[in-house]
């Protein structure tokens, strides 16, 4: 790239980390399916790719290719970023918690979030001595009330939330967290780096389940973290060591070992290259689906941040490029109707997960969010969640129309 123009999102996604292989000219980074690397004398690492490799937990060229591309798309307002790839979204979250907290510390969690995130804090971190409080609604006032200054190390935000599609003003919460000396972590899985860049809004660490839109084809499980690189002007420091946070997270990635394997990193990088075009289509189709549901008699409420009726619409319009591909809705006739709607589609597949090319439908109360029943994160039992895929939208609308007719009969 020789022009002065700063390359756009897709140009970065397609080219950064995917420079032709210096040995063979392969235009796509090979899957370096190897556990170890020969050394030319003790400590003599081969540097044909620019950096030396010694062992694939510590570093693998295919994983590096993905990490470089992902760092290049999760922007921090022009400051350099560092990305780290993990075996799953939850493995990435675990690395954040264990880097940023010690026994006796405290975290503030959102009142609506991925159930597994809540479970990780409440059932894994809590018994090890890291307490947490849920901030109902997740907005700046609720976060301020839940903060314990001097003890709270991190504030966790998910926006849009899973499964209620709630929107949190990231910049406002960043200010509240920073005033109290806490760091802000944002789960950007639903929005993806194409729709929203939390580091630009003041977040310190961004977490992704790349299993979802980034991989995008429902064929790989993975996670990633992004933070400002150590050389960034306002690089964040690790609260316990004063070292750059990016270095501490990378140290934990290797020390704890839950890294992405070469093939998983390769699939995720392939997905990332088409993220922008997929998110445009996911969002356009989801907007059509939300409009359709809004006009349907069987539906009592539609949750989609792209709708002007959504209480978070104004904030979403400010911090997100488009509305995204997730739509949730509630059935007037309750739980039985919701279960029937989930069982009644033929194009939408009844399954957990989201963000793939194919449309999925699920009942969060009995499926993805069953583990938070009885907790502050319990979801309504008349709720249905859709991951709107890339099929022809007319087929999706006809499928939902038929399923809702069967659910109301
Ligand atoms: C799926 C998901 C996770 C967890 O990621 P895994 O890859 O399943 O471990 C975290 N956050 C959100 C918002 C998710 O949808």
């Amino acid at each position: 790239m020789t022009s002065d123009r700063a390359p756009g999102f897709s140009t970065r996604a397609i080219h950064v980390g995917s420079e032709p292989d210096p040995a063979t000219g392969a235009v796509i980074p090979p899957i370096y399916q190897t556990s170890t690397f020969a050394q030319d004398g003790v400590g003599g690492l081969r540097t044909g790719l620019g950096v030396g490799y010694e062992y694939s937990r510590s570093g693998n060229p295919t994983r590096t290719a993905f990490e470089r591309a992902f760092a290049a798309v999760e922007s921090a307002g022009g400051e350099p970023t560092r990305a780290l790839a993990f075996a799953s979204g939850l493995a990435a979250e675990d690395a954040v918690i264990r880097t940023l907290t010690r026994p006796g510390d405290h975290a503030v969690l959102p009142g609506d979030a991925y159930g597994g995130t809540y479970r990780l804090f409440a059932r894994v971190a809590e018994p090890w001595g890291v307490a947490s409080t849920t901030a109902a609604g997740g907005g700046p006032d609720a976060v301020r009330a839940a903060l314990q200054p001097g003890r709270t190390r991190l504030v966790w935000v998910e926006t849009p939330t899973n499964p209620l599609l709630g929107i949190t003003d990231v910049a406002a919460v960043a200010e509240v967290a920073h005033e109290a000396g806490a760091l802000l972590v944002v789960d950007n899985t639903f929005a993806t780096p194409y729709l929203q860049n939390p580091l630009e809004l003041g977040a310190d660490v961004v977490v992704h389940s790349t299993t979802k839109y980034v991989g995008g084809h429902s064929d790989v499980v993975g996670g990633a973290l992004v933070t400002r690189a150590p050389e960034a002007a306002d690089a964040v420091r690790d609260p316990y060591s004063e070292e750059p946070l990016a270095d501490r997270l990378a140290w934990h990635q290797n020390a704890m070992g839950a890294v992405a394997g070469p093939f998983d990193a390769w699939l995720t990088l392939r997905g990332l290259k088409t993220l922008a075009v997929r998110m445009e289509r996911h969002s356009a189709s989801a907007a059509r689906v939300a409009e359709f549901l809004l006009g349907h008699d069987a539906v009592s409420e539609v949750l989609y941040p792209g709708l002007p009726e959504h209480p978070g619409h104004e904030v979403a319009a400010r911090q997100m490029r488009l509305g995204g591909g997730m739509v949730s809705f509630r059935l007037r006739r309750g739980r039985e109707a919701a279960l029937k709607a989930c069982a009644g589609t033929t194009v939408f597949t009844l399954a957990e997960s989201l963000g793939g090319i194919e449309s999925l439908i699920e009942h969060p109360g009995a499926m993805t969010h069953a583990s938070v029943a009885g907790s502050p994160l319990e979801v309504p039992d008349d709720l249905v969640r859709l991951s709107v895929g890339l099929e022809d939208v007319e087929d999706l609308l006809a499928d939902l129309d038929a399923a809702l007719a069967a659910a109301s009969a």
Side-chain angles (χ1 to χ4, degrees), residues 88-90 93 114 117 158 162 187 189-190 209 211-212 221-222 354:
S88 70
L90 282 176
E93 296 186 17
Y114 176 66
T117 300
E158 192 178 299
N162 181 359
D187 184 335
T189 299
F190 269 34
S209 170
T211 310
K212 314 296 168 48
V221 170
L354 60 108

